[in-house]
Amino acid sequence: MTDRAPPLATDRTRIPLVTLAWPIFVENLLRTSLMSVDTFMLSRYSEKAVAAMSLVNQFAFLIQLLYMMAAIGASILISQNLGAGRRRDAGQVGVASLGLILALSLVVSVAVAASARPILALYGLDPEVERYGRQFLVIYGGLSAFMAFNIGQASILRAWGHARDPMLVNITALLLTVAGNALCLFGPFGFPVLGVSGVAASTVLSQAVACGLYALIIRRRREIELPFREIRRIPSRVYRALVSVGVPTAGENLSYNLSQIVVLSMVARMGTEALATFGILISVLRYVFIIGVSIGSAAQIKVGYLAGAARHEEARGRVYRYFAVGFGASLAVIVLINLLKVPVLGIFSGNAGLVGLAASVLVVAIVHEPARNFNTIINPSLKGAGDVRFPVTVGIIGMWCVGTFGAWLLGIHLGLGLVGVWIAMACDEWSRGIAVLLRWRSGAWKNKSLLAPVDEAVVAPALSAVEQTEGL
């Protein structure tokens, strides 16, 4: 591809990390909080509805992972092209990713709607639980094309440096979903109580509204060039590049969640109290690790810009700083939670035994949580530079051989219980983290760019047009 478009008016490499990270953090924070509200509303409607949603949420997450394959690849390729000053190429990647997502969503939607009944029948569920699960899957999965397109459009906006736009759209969609759920479950103002099918419908409707908002925002961001008329002329290598980045990354995410399911089954064998404690701890610690996740998502885009511009040494130093900020912030928050653990845990339970067990695990979390930043910041930075296979391979090996096996060894075999499980997870994060840190220090990622060599004649004009002060 040859980029004949005018040079970019803004040098993306000089966008401060905080400009990319804070909207992602706010979005993650709100989504985490509203998940709790959603569960609370369902529990007031029916315990069997909560059970059904606990199961189908696993399938909903799998559907999202499938759509994220193209979106993740698009984000990295677009950011590298923009760093190299290749706006037209970035636009073609965006169009290719949306086309790929649309085709995939049509296949997935039909498959989920058609297979919901036989899949749920395999679990031997209570008839009412199965009915609730089927209602949600058929509506949510069968109309998931809106969600798919939203994932694709959001990745394009973030890769172009407009992280605040997806934040605002997703906040709108989340609030619409919660409001719709309240209407469908409790029937205020004479609204008919539609139950779980209404919850699914409100989710789809909010995604449809978000889809329109995304399209409008992208249209108004005139610098974003999406040449849809060229979709038939986009080279096949663009699609191959999207898949080569997206599939391994999605596979790593899927592997992690499968390993967590296996660990959860071990915890279930320890008894109801251990299982309940596990759930409470995840709810509390989610507010710690979204810090690193948000920084890492922004770092992946930032490193993509710098790798595209062939400014590798600058990328190397910046990622160390990003990691230091994430590590320090996570350590400060988890120490604070430990200092306040009695009142914090008391919000979730009045069971003294459960609170005591959770308090013991929180001590281990002081070692565990900061280490996550290796894998939430340095790992995506490697991928942003185009080095995808190494972190994915290390991740899959570590999470199963250290995390999952270690949870069995310490938690079950040696009888350390939930504390042993958390020690194993800490060892997993540190072992994987040290591996990706060494990879970053080695500089092997410098030769993994997904682009052809940078044309300095294209990049230079873009750099000279910048009059911004770069932050972190």
Side-chain angles (χ1 to χ4, degrees), residues 288-427:
V288 182
F289 65 72
I290 61 173
I291 299 171
V293 169
S294 302
I295 294 174
S297 297
Q300 179 173 284
I301 297 170
K302 181 80 174 180
V303 170
Y305 294 153
L306 293 169
R311 291 158 60 179
H312 298 110
E313 286 305 313
E314 184 178 344
R316 182 203 291 267
R318 289 190 175 277
V319 169
Y320 289 139
R321 275 187 275 173
Y322 303 156
F323 170 74
V325 171
F327 191 96
S330 297
L331 181 60
V333 174
I334 190 60
V335 168
L336 179 63
I337 289 175
N338 267 273
L339 293 175
L340 302 173
K341 58 188 172 185
V342 174
V344 168
L345 295 173
I347 296 173
F348 295 91
S349 175
N351 184 321
L354 189 152
V355 170
L357 177 59
S360 299
V361 176
L362 281 177
V363 175
V364 181
I366 295 176
V367 177
H368 175 232
E369 290 303 320
R372 285 186 193 260
N373 290 276
F374 289 108
N375 301 302
T376 59
I377 297 176
I378 298 180
N379 187 313
S381 296
L382 285 168
K383 294 172 185 174
D387 191 1
V388 177
R389 294 184 181 276
F390 179 85
V392 168
T393 302
V394 167
I396 293 175
I397 292 174
M399 64 186 64
W400 287 100
C401 296
V402 180
T404 308
F405 174 74
W408 170 83
L409 179 64
L410 298 176
I412 302 294
H413 185 67
L414 297 181
L416 296 180
L418 199 58
V419 173
V421 169
W422 239 266
I423 292 173
M425 291 197 296
C427 291

Side-chain angles (χ1 to χ4, degrees), residues 142-166:
L143 296 173
S144 64
F146 293 114
M147 176 182 65
F149 229 63
N150 289 342
I151 290 173
Q153 292 181 105
S155 71
I156 290 171
L157 282 166
R158 291 193 188 99
W160 275 84
H162 304 299
R164 195 172 71 164
D165 293 336

Side-chain angles (χ1 to χ4, degrees), residues 55-100:
L55 175 62
V56 299
N57 277 339
Q58 300 295 327
F59 295 100
F61 182 73
L62 177 59
I63 293 170
Q64 291 179 42
L65 278 181
L66 291 174
Y67 298 147
M68 285 174 63
M69 286 193 301
I72 292 170
S75 178
I76 295 172
L77 285 165
I78 290 172
S79 60
Q80 288 196 4
N81 274 298
L82 291 177
R86 299 169 176 173
R87 183 171 66 185
R88 170 72 62 167
D89 291 3
Q92 289 189 335
V93 171
V95 170
S97 69
L98 292 178
L100 198 60

Side-chain angles (χ1 to χ4, degrees), residues 159-397:
W160 275 84
H162 304 299
R164 195 172 71 164
D165 293 336
M167 177 195 73
L168 295 175
V169 172
N170 280 315
I171 287 175
T172 302
L174 288 167
L175 293 175
L176 285 175
T177 299
V178 171
N181 290 355
L183 284 175
C184 295
L185 293 174
F186 307 126
F189 315 113
F191 194 86
V193 177
L194 301 176
V196 173
S197 60
V199 169
S202 73
T203 302
V204 171
L205 180 60
S206 69
Q207 291 295 318
V209 171
C211 193
L213 290 175
Y214 274 126
L216 182 62
I217 290 170
I218 290 176
R219 184 178 181 85
R220 290 186 174 181
R221 293 286 187 186
R222 298 187 181 279
E223 62 180 347
I224 300 179
E225 187 174 350
L226 294 178
F228 287 103
R229 294 180 180 179
E230 299 179 12
I231 190 168
R232 293 185 178 181
R233 299 196 298 273
I234 294 176
S236 59
R237 65 175 177 273
V238 174
Y239 293 96
R240 288 197 301 270
L242 286 170
V243 173
S244 68
V245 174
V247 170
T249 301
E252 180 188 14
N253 293 335
L254 177 60
S255 176
Y256 178 79
N257 282 275
L258 288 175
S259 71
Q260 290 302 294
I261 290 173
V262 173
V263 170
L264 188 59
S265 69
M266 297 180 196
V267 174
R269 292 172 57 188
M270 299 175 188
T272 303
E273 187 171 88
L275 188 59
T277 304
F278 185 92
I280 289 173
L281 286 166
I282 293 299
S283 297
V284 172
L285 295 176
R286 187 177 286 122
Y287 291 94
V288 182
F289 65 72
I290 61 173
I291 299 171
V293 169
S294 302
I295 294 174
S297 297
Q300 179 173 284
I301 297 170
K302 181 80 174 180
V303 170
Y305 294 153
L306 293 169
R311 291 158 60 179
H312 298 110
E313 286 305 313
E314 184 178 344
R316 182 203 291 267
R318 289 190 175 277
V319 169
Y320 289 139
R321 275 187 275 173
Y322 303 156
F323 170 74
V325 171
F327 191 96
S330 297
L331 181 60
V333 174
I334 190 60
V335 168
L336 179 63
I337 289 175
N338 267 273
L339 293 175
L340 302 173
K341 58 188 172 185
V342 174
V344 168
L345 295 173
I347 296 173
F348 295 91
S349 175
N351 184 321
L354 189 152
V355 170
L357 177 59
S360 299
V361 176
L362 281 177
V363 175
V364 181
I366 295 176
V367 177
H368 175 232
E369 290 303 320
R372 285 186 193 260
N373 290 276
F374 289 108
N375 301 302
T376 59
I377 297 176
I378 298 180
N379 187 313
S381 296
L382 285 168
K383 294 172 185 174
D387 191 1
V388 177
R389 294 184 181 276
F390 179 85
V392 168
T393 302
V394 167
I396 293 175
I397 292 174

